[in-house]
Amino acid sequence: MLTDTLGLLLAVLVTPASTTDRDAARLLLPAARDCFGRLARVWADGGYTGHLVDWSAAQLGVDLDIVRRSDDMRGFQVLPRRWVVERSFAWCLRSRRLVRDYERRTDTSETVILWSMTMLMSRRLAARHQQSPAPTATTAA
């Protein structure tokens, strides 16, 4: 899942369990780069370390920054930038269909994730529209 800095979905790719995160990123990042030409920096967790950092810089011109936990950290700590996508996962899991792995096909899973995020964003837009005050007519005395 690729999100913006607010946690709103930019791109999603569901792969079989046999595909590593780094291999999936080699498919997702070029597609996202094609859709979002201004994509310049991506924050990722430690599962994306290795040659992917060099590959994304050389092939896509995208800086891939790895957010690491420090070795002396004990217990749960909120890591900068990493909490954004974790919050997005939590938003998706509010959709009942995504709580369990009901789907057998990866394209169906991607569609359900897109549907879930579309519902979230449309509800936010509708709520924002309802909260804005209606213009009032003023009369000149």
Side-chain angles (χ1 to χ4, degrees), residues 60-122:
L60 304 174
V62 174
D63 293 330
L64 185 64
D65 292 338
I66 305 300
V67 179
R68 291 186 172 90
R69 280 180 55 125
S70 65
D71 293 333
D72 59 345
M73 192 180 296
R74 294 191 187 273
F76 175 77
Q77 291 281 333
V78 176
L79 298 175
R81 295 291 170 203
R82 197 159 146 196
W83 63 271
V84 175
V85 75
E86 296 298 333
R87 181 181 61 185
S88 301
F89 283 134
W91 289 340
C92 284
L93 289 178
R94 288 173 39 189
S95 297
R96 197 173 120 214
R97 189 127 179 211
L98 292 172
V99 173
R100 302 279 185 265
D101 291 327
Y102 291 124
E103 312 307 331
R104 292 179 184 251
R105 296 176 37 170
T106 57
D107 59 341
T108 306
S109 294
E110 286 177 12
T111 304
V112 173
I113 292 168
L114 290 170
W115 170 79
S116 175
M117 289 302 281
T118 302
M119 293 298 294
L120 174 88
M121 288 189 264
S122 63

Side-chain angles (χ1 to χ4, degrees), residues 36-58:
F36 306 102
R38 293 178 40 188
L39 184 66
R41 179 172 302 239
V42 174
W43 288 286
D45 67 6
Y48 296 92
T49 56
H51 296 294
L52 184 63
V53 176
D54 299 329
W55 177 84
S56 66

